Amino acid sequence: MAGIRWSPEDADLLPARPPGDPVSDDDRSVAADSWSIKSDYGSTVDDDQRHADAVEGFSGCSFPAASDYSSDKDAPDANEVETSLMGSQSYWNATYAEDLANLPEHGNSSEVWFGVEVMDILVKWTKNLCDNICRGLDQSDNNSCKSEPSDTFRDLSSWRVLDIGTGNGLLLQELAKQGFHDLTGVDYSERAVELAKTLAVRGGFSYINFVVDDVLETKLGRSFQLVMDKGTLDAIGLHPDFPVKRMMYWDSVSHLVAPGGILVITSCNSTKDELLQEVEQLNQQRLGSQEENSCTESAVFQYLDHVQTYPTITLGGVDGSRVTTVALVRR
């Protein structure tokens, strides 16, 4: 099981930061990892039209706000949401600049968002999932979805891998250790990308490609067999305009994931069922649009598998995990 939400009074159940530890970019909350508000480095007419299309097309959808999951108030506090934004892209650039300045003192040390144990489980589970896809094995719990092997899925080293909201880039370093080689990390913060590049070179992974790019207005122009999201969708849920932003996210990743490719989302704010409900809303909206245009294409994403081995804790008689990871296949 997954998706226990921690209320303020349960905060002491979570691991505490040792006194005096430096604050890393990954530990500044999922909001810092890759905030998907409109970036300062530019926009185009196409981007603005995309935003308008998302507003029009998905205005009927409803999505949970990550920022008030643990609230016991009758209504969310608007001021609290504004506070969670913690500024604009320039704010995060300044934050990552501070991390860069700390590198000479702290070396390669950087805390991992969601924790080292979760990272280890996520990376090994992802490798196993992709290995099985290479062999044509069915990963679906309900046997409703099977990824067929193809020449582009035969060898992990040839998989094009994208990490959206890469932050310090440590996830890609761990995937590189598992045999992935064609690795790209994007973040809308220039300083985050600079930090990730520096850490990658120090770790012996200079071949990892890091690019400044906003996932909602991506300029990458290519698709990937594996797309990783560790906290970015959570961050979008903290934005005041989160319903539109989240649907812009789904529209963007539907183009970034190659047909037959895999999207792996790791969240601390959504359960497996909530993520799948959001995917189903996307599929229904897309299928509705296709019917109007006499198209017969299938759903955009389909559930493939989820991590079942994260550390659990009992709270109020219920066993669960504070982290959820779901794999979706692009149809």
Side-chain angles (χ1 to χ4, degrees):
M1 294 176 62
I4 284 184
R5 302 185 183 95
W6 306 101
S7 59
E9 58 268 28
D10 299 318
D12 57 347
L13 294 175
L14 300 176
R17 176 194 299 280
D21 269 16
V23 179
S24 69
D25 58 304
D26 273 42
D27 211 22
R28 284 190 174 93
S29 86
V30 287
D33 205 19
S34 176
W35 208 287
S36 295
I37 60 178
K38 199 171 191 65
S39 61
D40 294 340
Y41 53 83
S43 177
T44 67
V45 174
D46 290 341
D47 294 331
D48 294 334
Q49 184 60 49
R50 188 177 180 184
H51 184 283
D53 291 343
V55 173
E56 179 181 357
F58 305 121
S59 58
C61 298
S62 60
F63 303 98
S67 58
D68 59 5
Y69 275 160
S70 298
S71 174
D72 58 357
K73 296 179 290 187
D74 293 334
D77 186 342
N79 292 328
E80 181 180 349
V81 174
E82 285 298 324
T83 300
S84 69
L85 288 175
M86 300 178 70
S88 64
Q89 181 186 354
S90 59
Y91 171 87
W92 293 116
N93 277 335
T95 301
Y96 287 120
E98 180 183 348
D99 292 335
L100 284 165
N102 288 332
L103 281 179
E105 179 180 353
H106 301 293
N108 289 355
S109 177
S110 184
E111 291 188 39
V112 178
W113 181 245
F114 298 143
V116 174
E117 184 176 8
V118 168
M119 169 80 89
D120 184 62
I121 292 172
L122 169 63
V123 169
K124 292 179 179 177
W125 177 87
T126 300
K127 178 184 183 295
N128 183 65
L129 178 73
C130 295
D131 274 337
N132 287 337
I133 289 174
C134 289
R135 295 195 297 269
L137 301 180
D138 190 349
Q139 294 299 300
S140 176
D141 286 351
N142 58 16
N143 294 319
S144 64
C145 175
K146 182 175 181 179
S147 287
E148 298 294 338
S150 67
D151 291 340
T152 58
F153 288 83
R154 294 296 182 185
D155 180 41
L156 291 184
S157 64
S158 66
W159 281 50
R160 298 188 302 275
V161 180
L162 175 68
D163 180 24
I164 54 178
T166 194
N168 58 21
L170 294 182
L171 176 59
L172 289 177
Q173 291 193 34
E174 293 304 313
L175 288 172
K177 296 174 185 177
Q178 298 298 321
F180 294 95
H181 188 81
D182 188 349
L183 300 161
T184 300
V186 296
D187 201 293
Y188 94 132
S189 168
E190 295 179 6
R191 293 296 176 264
V193 169
E194 185 179 352
L195 174 66
K197 287 180 177 179
T198 301
L199 292 176
V201 170
R202 291 189 177 190
F205 302 99
S206 58
Y207 57 86
I208 299 178
N209 183 37
F210 292 102
V211 180
V212 177
D213 188 70
D214 186 335
V215 64
L216 300 190
E217 301 170 356
T218 182
K219 308 297 190 298
L220 292 182
R222 62 185 298 217
S223 59
F224 300 80
Q225 278 86 34
L226 175 63
V227 175
M228 304 292 293
D229 173 346
K230 185 167 66 69
T232 299
L233 187 58
D234 285 347
I236 295 171
L238 298 176
H239 192 279
D241 198 17
F242 69 87
V244 171
K245 297 293 185 181
R246 287 174 84 107
M247 291 315 302
M248 290 177 68
Y249 166 93
W250 286 110
D251 179 65
S252 183
V253 296
S254 70
H255 292 90
L256 289 171
V257 183
I262 306 301
L263 172 64
V264 176
I265 299 178
T266 300
S267 169
C268 65
N269 284 338
S270 297
T271 65
K272 168 194 165 188
D273 289 342
E274 288 168 341
L275 288 172
L276 295 184
Q277 181 183 14
E278 193 164 344
V279 171
E280 181 60 22
Q281 289 178 320
L282 168 71
N283 289 336
Q284 291 301 320
Q285 190 281 332
R286 186 69 62 89
L287 290 172
S289 297
Q290 291 171 353
E291 290 177 1
E292 292 178 1
N293 296 300
S294 301
C295 296
T296 58
E297 295 182 13
S298 62
V300 183
F301 287 106
Q302 194 167 353
Y303 169 72
L304 186 62
D305 200 1
H306 72 284
V307 173
Q308 304 180 53
T309 56
Y310 283 140
T312 60
I313 191 169
T314 301
L315 184 63
V318 178
D319 292 333
S321 170
R322 62 187 179 92
V323 180
T324 299
T325 293
V326 172
L328 307 168
V329 62
R330 178 72 168 92
R331 308 314 298 172

